[in-house]
Amino acid sequence: MKGSDRLRRLASYAFVAALVVAAVSCNEAHPNTTLVPHSDLGREIDFLWDRLLLLGTIVFILVEGILVYIVFRYRRRENQGTPPQTHGSTKLEIAWTLIPAVILVFIAVPTVRTIFITQAQAAPGSLNIEVTGHQWWWEFKYPEYGVTTANEIYLPVGRTVNFRLRSADVIHSFWTPQLGGKRDVVTNRTNYMWYTPDSSISSNVWNGFCVEYCGASHANMRFRVFTVSKQQFDSWVAGQKLPAKFGAVAAAPSGGPNPPSPAAPGVATPAGAPPATTPPGASTATTPPGASVGAAQSSVAAASTGAVQAGYIFPREKIPDYAVPHSPIPPDLKFTAGLTGNAARGKQVFSSSACIGCHSIAGNPAAMGVTGPNLTHVGSRSTIAAGRFPNAAAYLALWIKNARKMKPEVIMPTLGLDEYDPVLKAKVTAAGGGLTDQQIADIVAYLTALK
Ligand code: CUA
């Protein structure tokens, strides 16, 4: 009897210890925790959470303590008759009305205070970002700078950001757990949210999510936030404002002919041999061809002194594993190995195919579509398909070939010749605009050149 009591007590100690360890380890091992805020908004919400947890714990211990005491103190005993029966007690009823009312005041005051703080408009001079939720990707516009991008945001630390949240279709929800949120993105309504990333977190990557169920690929509607220094941000903005890096047609002033497009060979990118044949789980270990393109570009750091050098991109090799996609490639999706893409040819194919119906590329007058992500600087992004795959040639090739196999029910149509479109339930034909692997490799070379 005694032995089993001791065992039970040991087990309960172990359980409490495990809970404490789990709570503490949230800080280090869980990059998507909300319990380690890195912005003013995050701290406001965290303060409220801590306060309510503390008050709730005190109430719980008091109530349970009194309950347990009464259960034992007044439990039925041998040879005891029915206790005196009473009905109604004014004192008691006043007490159990007043006490919860007082408790509610302690909960309501900090809650309402936090609501007012977090719902207020951001101070003038804040960085405005227009967020539009789409099925299933995020569009980000910096109206002051004329920059439009998708699925990743650059934020200078120490500057308040004012998010205007809108939806192009259904209800989504915008959340960057460690920086702040979450707030719904609602059809026919503009919601606002603001926060100031802490200055101490310079040069970091944060995961963002859609956290309102919005259809088949809700879980594949992610984004990345890069917090950077002011100089790096200015450099990034300067780069993103420029037209496409490859083969852009200058907005020619009246008169003079357009400058010739740069020569193609330098940017030809091999797009063959995607790691589709490796077993699931191992696929991401394979360095996809073309990955080096990103590394080379990332060496363009912010100008160390003086003038801002355009085109900072967060270094690929410094992106931590938690922000690198590990989605498996569909096993039945293959790409011809050993093809070499030609960016100039790719631009032509892109500009005369279905791509331009949905995508814009500043500097390519043929590409003016607005239903899909703006691709002007797509080569500078770390992921494709709203964070589902790394932005590398091998993944991009498979994505163009059959996006609907890569991401369930995505609006981007299947484009690979003879590929089966799982939404249309039909094969893509040449008459229907199907692209050969060589044409796709060319488009990949073009897109990856758009830093
Ligand atoms: Cu968008 Cu869930």
Side-chain angles (χ1 to χ4, degrees):
M1 199 64 181
K2 265 204 154 170
S4 76
D5 271 0
R6 196 180 305 155
L7 250 182
R8 207 173 298 160
R9 194 180 308 163
L10 273 177
S12 61
Y13 287 156
F15 179 68
V16 171
L19 276 184
V20 170
V21 167
V24 170
S25 61
C26 280
N27 295 3
E28 289 300 316
H30 303 285
N32 303 326
T33 178
T34 50
L35 300 177
V36 188
H38 289 292
S39 73
D40 41 7
L41 175 71
R43 266 188 301 280
E44 287 292 344
I45 294 169
D46 193 57
F47 169 80
L48 185 64
W49 153 258
D50 287 349
R51 169 71 64 90
L52 295 190
L53 183 67
L54 176 70
L55 293 176
T57 306
I58 292 172
V59 169
F60 176 80
I61 289 172
L62 270 178
V63 170
E64 293 303 305
I66 293 170
L67 182 70
V68 168
Y69 170 77
I70 288 175
V71 163
F72 283 96
R73 173 71 181 78
Y74 295 104
R75 75 178 186 272
R76 183 178 154 81
R77 291 184 169 80
E78 294 279 333
N79 307 322
Q80 194 184 41
T82 309
Q85 303 294 302
T86 57
H87 178 79
S89 162
T90 312
K91 275 183 200 164
L92 262 181
E93 295 205 4
I94 290 176
W96 70 48
T97 305
L98 275 183
I99 293 173
V102 171
I103 293 172
L104 278 182
V105 167
F106 276 93
I107 292 172
V109 169
T111 302
V112 172
R113 179 188 151 274
T114 306
I115 288 174
F116 273 93
I117 290 174
T118 60
Q119 295 284 335
Q121 290 284 325
S126 306
L127 173 66
N128 286 304
I129 298 184
E130 291 177 359
V131 177
T132 308
H134 296 258
Q135 283 176 314
W136 290 277
W137 59 283
W138 295 95
E139 183 172 36
F140 299 115
K141 284 187 178 163
Y142 293 68
E144 283 100 337
Y145 302 109
V147 167
T148 302
T149 184
N151 305 322
E152 51 187 55
I153 323 175
Y154 280 66
L155 299 180
V157 293
R159 184 171 175 196
T160 304
V161 195
N162 186 33
F163 295 101
R164 285 167 60 102
L165 306 163
R166 281 184 284 205
S167 171
D169 36 52
V170 300
I171 300 177
H172 306 275
S173 188
F174 180 82
W175 193 32
T176 44
Q178 291 216 41
L179 292 174
K182 50 186 93 155
R183 190 139 301 158
D184 278 5
V185 178
V186 181
T187 320
N188 290 331
R189 180 187 162 80
T190 304
N191 278 345
Y192 293 89
M193 188 175 75
W194 59 265
Y195 56 63
T196 316
D198 291 347
S199 299
S200 58
I201 56 168
S202 184
S203 198
N204 221 324
V205 191
W206 313 91
N207 285 325
F209 305 90
C210 177
V211 278
E212 178 68 46
Y213 181 73
C214 56
S217 269
H218 155 69
N220 300 317
M221 185 171 166
R222 297 169 231 169
F223 59 100
R224 303 285 183 272
V225 178
F226 297 100
T227 49
V228 296
S229 69
K230 185 187 179 306
Q231 290 77 13
Q232 289 165 335
F233 178 74
D234 289 345
S235 168
W236 177 79
V237 164
Q240 297 285 314
K241 275 165 81 168
L242 297 172
K245 284 272 163 64
F246 177 84
V249 179
S254 53
N258 293 332
S261 297
V267 289
T269 307
T277 47
T278 47
S283 58
T284 47
T286 314
T287 305
S292 60
V293 177
Q297 181 66 29
S298 62
S299 63
V300 183
S304 49
T305 52
V308 172
Q309 190 183 346
Y312 173 79
I313 299 170
F314 196 93
R316 283 281 179 95
E317 67 278 9
K318 286 194 180 160
I319 295 179
D321 192 58
Y322 63 74
V324 176
H326 295 284
S327 315
I329 287 173
D332 58 339
L333 185 53
K334 304 272 191 279
F335 201 81
T336 312
L339 293 181
T340 301
N342 177 297
R345 250 182 0 229
K347 187 188 171 194
Q348 275 178 4
V349 179
F350 184 95
S351 307
S352 56
S353 73
C355 310
I356 56 174
C358 298
H359 297 286
S360 280
I361 296 178
N364 181 346
M368 309 260 280
V370 290
T371 48
N374 184 304
L375 299 180
T376 305
H377 295 282
V378 63
S380 73
R381 297 175 198 158
S382 65
T383 69
I384 56 168
R388 183 151 168 78
F389 296 101
N391 186 7
Y395 295 99
L396 195 50
L398 292 175
W399 176 253
I400 296 169
K401 188 165 183 173
N402 200 334
R404 285 173 173 172
K405 270 188 184 166
M406 301 277 276
K407 181 168 169 175
E409 294 189 20
V410 68
I411 291 169
M412 166 131 167
T414 299
L415 294 171
L417 184 61
D418 290 334
E419 278 294 307
Y420 180 77
D421 186 319
V423 174
L424 300 179
K425 302 200 188 312
K427 271 197 171 187
V428 180
T429 60
L435 301 170
T436 64
D437 280 7
Q438 180 60 57
Q439 286 175 312
I440 292 173
D442 292 341
I443 292 177
V444 168
Y446 172 49
L447 295 181
T448 49
L450 304 179
K451 294 293 179 186

